[in-house]
Amino acid sequence: MQPTADIISLLRSQSGSFPNREQLVADYVSENLEAVTTIALSDLANNVGVSEPTVIRFCRTLGCDGFRDFKMRLAQNLAVSMQYLTSEDISDDTTAADVLSSHVLGVIIENLRLLRDQISSQQIDQAADILVKARQIAFFGVGGGSTTVAFDAANRFFRLGIPAQSQSDGYLQRMLSSTLGPEDVVFAISTSGRPVELIHSAAIARQYGAKVISLTNPDSPLAAESDLVIGIEMPENPDIYKPTATRHAFLATIDVIATAVARRMPHQAKEKLRRIRSSLMTVNSPTGRQPIGD
């Protein structure tokens, strides 16, 4: 796999160190990032006032095979970078209270409203019916957000007396999947539903008879490799500093499913929660109703 080339960072870090005529190309490219992705070699050379070989040498200085390779890498880089290059900063006169109340909390509340309109009671019931019978549950996620949700999900379910673990390493996901059987469940979590690790792990688990539930985009490859899909699609706010919409939606969905499972097995769930709370008496004195843990 070819390492991802951050052409924009290379331009910035090497600015001033290019040979003189290549520096002219670098300056022009830096000021016209989007336009350069569609410009012809001859036009770029004419606009800068250098020869075409100079442009090609500039591209190779950045580690590209030539001008076409440079344009392709720049276009790929821009596809994920433009929102960070063009977004406006919050004004200096915006107070912390304003940000917390009207922006951050407002975004979270709106995300949960959108989730309420999307979440399917039938899918929640189907997931709960599968999970309540599970011998063990393996929650899989990769990347920052999904990994966090998978960890929280395992934390929710082991308290109910169902052995549960989370795994974010792709190799270990595959290894764990190969040990599962018909009484086990893989619960895969992904915003895009495209990480190869999750798709392959789901396929391995199903090969050995385990059920696969996915919390993901309903039209994704991961969804196609699942026995049950809980389809959630959340639009991301254009503000790059905002909370990630899908993370809050996924965490809330896990809470809904865990509650549905607990209500299907009230005696076991209450006894396990009681034991856990009792085990914490020496570190958390019993002062009325408290959360499990701290």
Side-chain angles (χ1 to χ4, degrees):
M1 180 181 296
Q2 187 180 52
T4 300
D6 187 348
I7 295 295
I8 296 170
S9 289
L10 287 174
L11 278 169
R12 292 173 173 175
S13 64
Q14 296 187 34
S15 181
S17 63
F18 291 102
N20 290 340
R21 300 194 71 75
E22 289 183 34
Q23 184 63 53
L24 295 176
V25 181
D27 292 341
Y28 182 89
V29 170
S30 297
E31 295 171 3
N32 302 274
L33 290 171
E34 287 189 275
V36 169
T37 62
T38 59
I39 200 171
L41 172 60
S42 58
D43 291 337
L44 176 58
N46 289 334
N47 291 349
V48 177
V50 298
S51 66
E52 293 183 15
T54 297
V55 174
I56 295 173
R57 284 195 298 272
F58 160 78
C59 297
R60 289 175 176 166
T61 299
L62 290 176
C64 302
D65 294 335
F67 184 61
R68 179 178 297 181
D69 183 40
F70 166 75
K71 287 205 304 179
M72 181 187 70
R73 295 194 189 195
L74 178 60
Q76 292 173 338
N77 201 185
L78 278 176
V80 298
S81 298
M82 282 307 297
Q83 61 177 323
Y84 305 100
L85 296 172
T86 60
S87 62
E88 297 182 359
D89 288 334
I90 297 173
S91 61
D92 293 337
D93 60 354
T94 301
T95 66
D98 289 333
V99 173
L100 287 173
S101 61
S102 66
H103 184 60
V104 176
L105 296 181
V107 168
I108 294 172
I109 292 169
E110 181 59 27
N111 291 340
L112 294 179
R113 286 175 179 163
L114 292 172
L115 172 64
R116 185 173 57 186
D117 294 336
Q118 285 194 45
I119 200 165
S120 165
S121 298
Q122 181 181 7
Q123 291 173 351
I124 296 299
D125 282 337
Q126 290 175 335
D129 289 341
I130 293 171
L131 294 169
V132 75
K133 301 173 185 176
R135 179 177 61 181
Q136 62 177 318
I137 309 171
F139 290 95
F140 291 165
V142 297
S146 296
T147 296
T148 301
V149 177
F151 178 84
D152 189 72
N155 188 39
R156 287 282 279 134
F157 275 84
F158 91 81
R159 304 175 185 210
L160 304 179
I162 303 175
Q165 61 178 299
S166 67
Q167 187 54 253
S168 60
D169 181 273
Y171 275 63
L172 290 176
Q173 287 175 357
R174 290 169 179 254
M175 294 165 63
L176 179 55
S177 292
S178 68
T179 69
L180 302 180
E183 297 177 324
D184 305 317
V185 178
V186 164
F187 197 119
I189 302 165
S190 172
T191 300
S192 68
R194 298 190 176 279
V196 173
E197 301 95 321
L198 293 181
I199 298 167
H200 288 179
S201 297
I204 292 169
R206 294 181 77 192
Q207 172 184 323
Y208 294 110
K211 293 288 187 182
V212 174
I213 300 173
S214 63
L215 178 56
T216 189
N217 185 310
D219 298 319
S220 65
L222 176 60
E225 196 58 67
S226 304
D227 297 292
L228 174 63
V229 180
I230 302 171
I232 302 293
E233 293 182 273
M234 300 294 292
E236 288 294 337
N237 192 294
D239 183 349
I240 62 173
Y241 303 118
K242 70 357 179 171
T244 300
T246 307
R247 180 169 62 89
H248 289 109
F250 281 5
L251 286 169
T253 303
I254 292 295
D255 281 341
V256 172
I257 297 172
T259 302
V261 170
R263 291 180 182 275
R264 281 166 167 74
M265 44 187 287
H267 299 298
Q268 174 178 319
K270 285 192 290 186
E271 174 60 15
K272 299 304 182 184
L273 293 172
R274 184 196 66 78
R275 291 186 190 181
I276 293 172
R277 189 69 190 89
S278 296
S279 74
L280 298 173
M281 287 180 61
T282 57
V283 291
N284 272 343
S285 58
T287 56
R289 294 185 181 274
Q290 293 184 358
I292 299 294
D294 187 43

